Amino acid sequence: QAPANEHLTMQIAKQVYKLKVPPNAIVFFKDGSPAYLVRRFDQSKTGKLQQEDFAQIAEMTSETHGDNYKYDLSYEEIAELIKKYIPTHRIEVEKFFRMVLFNYVFSNGDAHLKNFSAIQTSHGDYVLTPVYDLLCTRIHSPNESDMALSLFKEGFSKAYEAHGFYTYQDFFEFGKLIGIKDSRV
């Protein structure tokens, strides 16, 4: 039921959480098996748009960093890359914060470096892409982590160590750490 899971999660992200999501649908083949469809957002009338996922931006591959390379950074480190490479980073880190929070709330243990990307605009600068590859992995793998990456590059907070999960305080500190005003967090 992964296609239904992804479609439902993407629709919740769009309709309830107001995240930017590419058009998507679930269709059924003649035999009744489902397929998930998503419209490409890296195409324009003039051709393919330049898109880089954060593994590419961080210059991490399986050859240079081993088989688990896409799990080797934290969300804090992705935010640092956003600040470094995206001119409108003040807007984009807030979008990123909302994406990370959504993935945690929906137990998407597969929100790794390759599932966050930047795309070139018609002006030649970069912004974050619409969200993609959202699903509740806990449904399919009950022992899956709620998050693919650590929130912080320095490990876990005292709150996490005390409770065994991220808390409001963790996300509040994360938001402030990546440059979001307290009132916006």
Side-chain angles (χ1 to χ4, degrees), residues 59-85:
E59 298 179 343
M60 297 176 75
T61 67
S62 58
E63 291 81 24
T64 62
H65 290 82
D67 289 340
N68 288 326
Y69 72 96
K70 58 188 177 180
Y71 300 97
D72 283 349
L73 291 184
S74 65
Y75 294 114
E76 178 185 350
E77 289 168 302
I78 293 175
E80 289 171 355
L81 291 169
I82 292 169
K83 290 180 193 176
K84 183 175 180 179
Y85 292 109

Side-chain angles (χ1 to χ4, degrees), residues 14-161:
K14 176 183 179 182
Q15 296 177 35
V16 178
Y17 289 85
K18 308 300 183 205
L19 296 176
K20 188 174 180 183
V21 172
N24 59 84
I26 191 163
V27 297
F28 296 90
F29 294 107
K30 287 182 183 179
D31 69 359
S33 59
Y36 174 71
L37 302 175
V38 63
R39 179 175 289 156
R40 294 189 66 147
F41 48 81
D42 63 344
Q43 301 287 323
S44 74
K45 292 178 182 176
T46 59
K48 190 167 180 352
L49 301 171
Q50 179 67 37
Q51 177 182 332
E52 305 266 342
D53 64 50
F54 277 88
Q56 292 169 306
I57 293 168
E59 298 179 343
M60 297 176 75
T61 67
S62 58
E63 291 81 24
T64 62
H65 290 82
D67 289 340
N68 288 326
Y69 72 96
K70 58 188 177 180
Y71 300 97
D72 283 349
L73 291 184
S74 65
Y75 294 114
E76 178 185 350
E77 289 168 302
I78 293 175
E80 289 171 355
L81 291 169
I82 292 169
K83 290 180 193 176
K84 183 175 180 179
Y85 292 109
I86 298 181
T88 56
H89 62 84
R90 291 194 192 284
I91 295 167
E92 300 306 303
V93 291
E94 283 197 31
K95 289 180 189 175
F96 176 68
F97 176 82
R98 294 182 70 230
M99 290 177 193
V100 171
L101 187 56
F102 180 86
N103 278 302
Y104 180 69
V105 169
F106 279 84
S107 296
N108 184 0
D110 199 40
H112 52 66
L113 290 173
K114 296 190 75 55
N115 287 337
F116 297 94
S117 296
I119 194 163
Q120 191 172 34
T121 70
S122 60
H123 303 292
D125 59 344
Y126 286 82
V127 297
L128 293 178
T129 63
V131 294
Y132 58 92
D133 206 12
L134 298 178
L135 67 158
C136 175
T137 57
R138 176 79 43 103
I139 291 173
H140 306 287
S141 301
N143 296 324
E144 180 93 0
S145 171
D146 287 324
M147 294 179 63
L149 309 176
S150 297
L151 201 54
F152 304 106
K153 67 181 173 184
E154 297 298 325
F156 297 106
S157 69
K158 289 181 182 179
Y160 186 95
E161 289 174 0

